[in-house]
Amino acid sequence: MAKKEKTATASKTDLLDAVENKSLKKEIPHFEIGDTVDVRCSIKEGDKERVQVFTGTVISRKGRGINENFTVRRIVDNEGVERIFPLHSPNVLDIRPVRSGKKRRAKLYYLRDRTGKAVRLAHRHSTHTVSK
Amino acid sequence: MAMLLGKKVGMTQVYDESGKLLPVTVIQAGPCVVMQVKTADTDGYNAVQLGFDDVKASRRKNPQVGHAQKADTAPKRFVKEMRLPEETETEYKVGDSITVSVFVDSKLVDVVGTGKGKGFAGVMKRHGFGGFPASHGTERKHRAPGSISSFASDAGHGGKPKKGKRMAGHMGNCRITTKNHRLVAIDEEKNLLVVKGAVPGPPGGYCLVRSAKKV
C-alpha cells in the first residue's frame, strides 16, 4: 500500500513556536550551572523604573522555549536568598557570568543545606566568564 | 462586524509590551471563502455563508460539492453563516476570500466553540455542589446531591422534584461562547490570531471568532 502523503499544512508545534518565538530574546549570554552571575533586572516602582543587580550562583536552569528559567542563590546576612528569573523576560536586562565554579551536578540544590564557607564552589577557569 | 472561522491550535505564553507574561490561545483562522450571499429579497435576511477547511470532493455528497462549485472552491468541513445588518448593501461576493486582516482594527473578540465533553458527570463537577464531609461518620455519600425534594417544600409539584432541579447528567460537548478576549497579535502570513486566555474546545477543534458584541 502506498504511504499516505502528509498535507503541507504546518504542524501544531510549528504554529505555536511561530507565535512564541516573537517573545524570545535573540541573544542569550552563555552561562552555566555553578557560575556566579550578575543579573540586571528592571524594577518598576510607581512611574519610576530602576535597575537592580542580583549577584549569586546559578543553581538550576530548567524549562524550554519561553518557559525557560534559572535560579540564582546568594547568601544575604547569613540567610539564603533565591530568585527565579524567566530567561526571556524583557525585565531581565542582562546576565553577566563573572566566575565559573566546579560542579558535578545539573542542579546544585545541595547548596541549600550548606552554610558558611561550604557554599563556595571551587573556581574553574573558563573562557566565558569575565575575570575580575 | 468581522467574523472568521478557524481552528484552535493550542495555548502558549507571550510577553506583552509592558513585560507581563500573558497566557494566550493561538487560533488558525481563515482564509474563509464566501460560499453564498443571502439577501433580504431572496432569503428574508442578510447574511454571508462562510466556509473553512477544504475536504476532498469525493468525501462529500453531490449537493454539497455543487454548492461549493458555485463559489469555485472545494467543499468545506466547517460552514457557518454571518448575519449582516438589515439595511446595508453587502460588499461580499460569492467566492471572496476573507483573511485575518479583517480583525486589524479589533481589540476584543468573542470566540465560539464546542467545549470538551466530560461524559456523565456528578453534581459536584457539573453544578459545583459542595458534597458531604469526608469523615465524621459520612458513609457512601461523599459526592451525593443530597435531598432533591420533599412533598411539603415542593407543594404544587405533585410530590415530584421541581422542573430544572440540578442533578447529575451529561456535561460538556456543547456550544460555548467566551467573550471579550484581548486580541494580542495577528499573523497575516500564517493566518493566526493570538487571543488572551482560554478558548472552548480541544486543540484542533473548530471555532468561530467574531469582534466582541458587548464591550
Side-chain angles (χ1 to χ4, degrees):
Chain A
M1 227 172 82
K3 258 192 181 174
K4 206 178 169 188
E5 265 194 34
K6 274 205 164 180
T7 44
T9 47
S11 76
K12 180 190 158 187
T13 23
D14 288 344
L15 294 172
L16 286 181
D17 283 348
V19 172
E20 218 177 273
N21 284 345
K22 283 175 191 161
S23 287
L24 299 186
K25 285 177 186 168
K26 297 268 162 359
E27 274 178 37
I28 287 162
H30 177 82
F31 67 99
E32 291 170 10
I33 308 293
D35 286 359
T36 304
V37 291
D38 289 344
V39 183
R40 289 175 67 239
C41 48
S42 75
I43 287 172
K44 282 185 189 111
E45 286 169 338
D47 305 335
K48 276 188 208 161
E49 205 174 318
R50 63 181 181 85
V51 175
Q52 193 186 58
V53 182
F54 190 85
T55 308
T57 317
V58 181
I59 62 165
S60 102
R61 189 169 168 174
K62 58 184 181 182
R64 64 167 278 280
I66 197 150
N67 284 320
E68 189 167 354
N69 45 239
F70 61 99
T71 310
V72 180
R73 181 180 174 85
R74 68 174 298 185
I75 307 287
V76 184
D77 292 343
N78 270 335
E79 193 65 55
V81 176
E82 279 181 23
R83 273 188 78 172
I84 302 170
F85 294 99
L87 190 63
H88 292 281
S89 166
N91 291 333
V92 176
L93 303 174
D94 189 22
I95 307 155
R96 205 162 64 101
V98 182
R99 179 181 188 270
S100 289
K102 247 185 202 169
K103 47 91 178 48
R104 310 183 75 163
R105 307 258 178 281
K107 304 275 191 288
L108 306 182
Y109 295 143
Y110 67 88
L111 292 179
R112 290 170 177 168
D113 302 329
R114 299 194 174 183
T115 50
K117 285 183 177 178
V119 296
R120 295 173 309 168
L121 297 172
H123 185 233
R124 180 170 67 92
H125 291 283
S126 178
T127 45
H128 71 273
T129 41
V130 187
S131 54
K132 261 190 179 173
Chain B
M1 192 180 111
M3 183 180 122
L4 268 188
L5 308 179
K7 211 180 211 180
K8 175 169 163 179
V9 177
M11 290 194 73
T12 180
Q13 295 166 315
V14 293
Y15 285 103
D16 70 355
E17 40 314 317
S18 64
K20 268 188 185 160
L21 194 56
L22 299 179
V24 294
T25 307
V26 180
I27 299 168
Q28 191 173 30
C32 293
V33 178
V34 175
M35 312 276 283
Q36 188 185 355
V37 177
K38 295 190 174 182
T39 57
D41 301 336
T42 55
D43 303 275
Y45 61 97
N46 286 337
V48 173
Q49 195 185 65
L50 302 176
F52 174 69
D53 210 2
D54 286 352
V55 61
K56 266 199 288 185
S58 59
R59 298 249 180 231
R60 286 288 178 269
K61 300 234 158 74
N62 268 336
Q64 288 171 35
V65 177
H67 181 66
Q69 266 171 2
K70 281 184 202 161
D72 202 19
T73 73
K76 304 291 178 191
R77 272 214 172 78
F78 190 43
V79 178
K80 285 269 174 201
E81 253 179 37
M82 169 167 72
R83 284 293 282 267
L84 297 171
E86 273 176 28
E87 63 278 8
T88 50
E89 276 289 304
T90 168
E91 71 266 35
Y92 296 106
K93 288 196 295 293
V94 171
D96 277 0
S97 183
I98 307 178
T99 64
V100 286
S101 52
V102 291
F103 284 110
V104 165
D105 296 329
S106 305
K107 286 207 172 76
L108 296 172
V109 293
D110 295 345
V111 181
V112 185
T114 306
K116 280 185 188 173
K118 306 283 194 287
F120 192 98
V123 287
M124 285 180 72
K125 190 189 183 103
R126 193 175 181 214
H127 299 299
F129 282 17
F132 285 84
S135 65
H136 293 294
T138 310
E139 273 187 321
R140 300 181 296 280
K141 51 185 308 183
H142 303 283
R143 299 178 65 88
S147 168
I148 52 171
S149 75
S150 69
F151 186 79
S153 68
D154 297 314
H157 294 275
K160 290 174 184 161
K162 282 180 179 171
K163 297 278 184 205
K165 174 71 197 143
R166 293 178 296 167
M167 291 198 217
H170 188 268
M171 182 184 175
N173 195 23
C174 60
R175 178 187 160 113
I176 296 175
T177 308
T178 48
K179 291 169 190 166
N180 294 342
H181 290 277
R182 188 173 130 198
L183 192 55
V184 178
I186 297 174
D187 189 334
E188 297 192 29
E189 198 181 313
K190 292 193 170 68
N191 295 311
L192 299 180
L193 294 174
V194 182
V195 300
K196 189 185 166 198
V199 155
Y206 290 118
C207 58
L208 183 156
V209 188
R210 62 174 184 230
S211 47
K213 269 190 177 168
K214 289 177 184 172
V215 180

